[in-house]
Amino acid sequence: MKIGIPKEMKSKEYRVGMIPSGVRLLVESGHDVYIQKNAGEKSGFPNSEYKQAGAVILEDSKEIFENCEMIVKVKEPLPEEYDLLKSGQILFTFLHLAPNKKLTEILLEKKVTAIGYETVEDNGRLPLLSPMSQIAGRVAPMVASYFLSMHNKGMGTLIGGSTGILPSKVLVIGSGTVAKNATKIASGMGADVIVMGRNPHSMKSIEESMSANVSTLYSNAYNMEKVLPLVDIVICAVYVTGEKTPQLITKKMLSYCKKGAVLVDVAIDQGGCIETSRPTTHDDPVFEVDGVLHYCVANIPGDYPLTATQALSNATIPYIKKMADMGWKNACLKDEAIYSGVNVAGGFVTDEAVANAHKMDYHMLKDILYHCTEFGDTL
């Protein structure tokens, strides 16, 4: 199979879809790998390392898309890449289609087989989302602390307090991977942390594994309204596989927040869990609504590429190799994790959450695969 890795186009996105060790594994298995010139440079991998691993370096993304059967990226295609997509092409990347109807329509129109890292599920785990969730969770308290400073229009409090001065209070909404990592870092920085979730097993695990400055609280609107006036930082860490994130903090609730408080909406990729959130970039990460700062960068790990690229690529390469070796259809039939990751195929929405989000028809992937096998059709 011909596999292509284009350079990411999203603002301040420094990650790359594959590292040289992954290239070498694929080439040794008989596949051809093409990578755009300088795509891995900011992740610490120069062109020479990719060449040594067996990749062919191409000048621009157009050549990558034209030549390759599978495109491996980090972030979803941007509008300037839409015309490069080809019918029958496999796209393996973070998609986050539930809040992005336009991209969903393009993938349907182009009849691309689009497999989202964030929906690949293996025995209840999300193995491709998890490493990026760890990083985003660990970064969230650090950026929140930075924007809490007065020169950033925050309230001017130090997250860990000082001698004789109480530390900041941090609210973490959610109890999954992002939440656990955000709690670990925020509590380590000395903050008093409240974790608000609905999964009693996850919250119990957090209580048992974290320090004494961490407590848990059941998540509902009543408790949210009681807690928001007390906290300096809110980290939104909610994710429901493939679905648009529920809005747990309404615009009205902003009136309960302290002026200069910082809200970090890590869930912004899936639409965000704050009503007033909108995606921002590393160039302009923060905006203010009713005196409350919102940090809504949609690619937080992209600013830490030497760590994030390796973590992501190490997780994705086994799935890439399996699809390259077997073809994506056979891989889906053999591997439920890959099957679960297919959002769109052959002009059909095959992820129920995406179909519901956009009020589109949903088609079970197994029916499409059966149709192709039975009648010799191709996707």
Side-chain angles (χ1 to χ4, degrees):
M1 183 179 285
K2 294 182 178 180
I3 301 157
I5 301 98
K7 189 174 182 179
E8 297 296 318
M9 299 185 72
K10 200 175 188 76
S11 174
K12 296 295 191 292
E13 179 53 72
Y14 301 119
R15 290 172 289 181
V16 65
M18 193 180 298
I19 59 179
S21 60
V23 171
R24 180 175 175 178
L25 179 66
L26 292 169
V27 171
E28 289 178 347
S29 299
H31 305 292
D32 298 322
V33 180
Y34 300 83
I35 185 164
Q36 187 176 345
K37 184 178 179 180
N38 298 329
E41 189 175 38
K42 297 293 186 180
S43 292
F45 300 107
N47 296 328
S48 58
E49 289 197 31
Y50 285 104
K51 283 182 181 178
Q52 189 174 0
V56 176
I57 309 296
L58 296 180
E59 283 292 327
D60 57 42
S61 59
K62 184 178 180 181
E63 289 182 276
I64 297 286
F65 281 87
E66 282 181 351
N67 282 283
C68 297
E69 302 158 77
M70 184 193 301
I71 301 297
V72 177
K73 291 180 87 280
V74 176
K75 295 300 291 180
E76 72 284 353
L78 298 182
E80 50 265 47
E81 296 173 290
Y82 291 172
D83 287 341
L84 301 178
L85 295 164
K86 298 189 305 182
S87 177
Q89 203 163 46
I90 304 162
L91 174 65
F92 196 32
T93 189
F94 282 115
L95 289 171
H96 300 291
L97 292 183
N100 194 341
K101 187 173 184 180
K102 180 62 178 176
L103 177 56
T104 306
E105 291 172 339
I106 291 293
L107 296 172
L108 291 172
E109 176 190 329
K110 298 276 189 175
K111 294 188 176 181
V112 171
T113 299
I115 305 168
Y117 294 156
E118 74 279 5
T119 56
V120 171
E121 191 167 354
D122 185 6
N123 293 318
R125 299 182 306 109
L126 298 168
L128 308 187
L129 182 64
S130 180
M132 298 302 95
S133 295
Q134 290 180 23
I135 292 171
R138 295 180 183 192
V139 172
M142 296 191 292
V143 296
S145 176
Y146 174 73
F147 284 104
L148 206 58
S149 62
M150 185 64 71
H151 85 274
N152 282 313
K153 299 182 180 178
M155 64 175 62
T157 57
L158 184 63
I159 189 170
S162 188
T163 303
I165 310 298
L166 293 174
S168 294
K169 288 189 179 294
V170 175
L171 171 63
V172 178
I173 304 174
S175 57
T177 302
V178 173
K180 289 174 182 175
N181 282 273
T183 300
K184 179 179 180 179
I185 298 302
S187 61
M189 294 172 78
D192 285 333
V193 184
I194 302 166
V195 179
M196 183 176 280
R198 292 183 180 176
N199 186 322
H201 299 292
S202 293
M203 290 195 289
K204 183 179 180 183
S205 172
I206 288 171
E207 285 183 332
E208 291 176 346
S209 62
M210 300 291 175
S211 52
N213 56 337
V214 175
S215 56
T216 59
L217 182 66
Y218 189 79
S219 178
N220 56 42
Y222 178 85
N223 285 340
M224 189 79 70
E225 292 174 2
K226 292 294 184 183
V227 169
L228 284 176
L230 307 177
V231 301
D232 307 312
I233 293 170
V234 179
I235 297 171
C236 299
V238 176
Y239 178 70
V240 183
T241 306
E243 295 184 17
K244 193 169 182 179
T245 311
Q247 293 182 342
L248 302 180
I249 298 179
T250 65
K251 188 176 190 305
K252 180 184 177 182
M253 288 180 182
L254 289 188
S255 64
Y256 303 126
C257 295
K258 297 178 182 180
K259 299 301 180 185
V262 178
L263 311 184
V264 180
D265 200 343
V266 182
I268 194 64
D269 268 336
Q270 289 293 130
C273 64
I274 305 168
E275 185 180 0
T276 47
S277 286
R278 56 174 171 79
T280 60
T281 68
H282 290 293
D283 287 322
D284 189 16
V286 175
F287 61 92
E288 183 182 326
V289 179
D290 297 340
V292 179
L293 298 181
H294 295 53
Y295 179 96
C296 306
V297 173
N299 60 329
I300 292 173
D303 208 25
Y304 300 86
L306 270 71
T307 300
T309 287
Q310 294 184 66
L312 180 61
S313 187
N314 287 340
T316 58
I317 192 62
Y319 298 96
I320 296 167
K321 185 177 185 300
K322 184 172 286 190
M323 287 189 283
D325 289 345
M326 303 173 64
W328 78 268
K329 292 189 287 293
N330 286 331
C332 282
L333 294 171
K334 298 287 186 181
D335 191 327
E336 290 184 5
I338 295 174
Y339 181 100
S340 67
V342 181
N343 285 209
V344 174
F348 301 100
V349 178
T350 56
D351 185 286
E352 191 169 7
V354 173
N356 291 339
H358 301 310
K359 296 181 172 56
M360 294 177 172
D361 291 335
Y362 163 64
H363 297 263
M364 292 187 71
L365 179 60
K366 67 179 182 181
D367 293 337
I368 298 172
L369 293 173
Y370 172 78
H371 178 85
C372 291
T373 303
E374 185 77 5
F375 298 102
D377 293 345
T378 57
L379 289 176

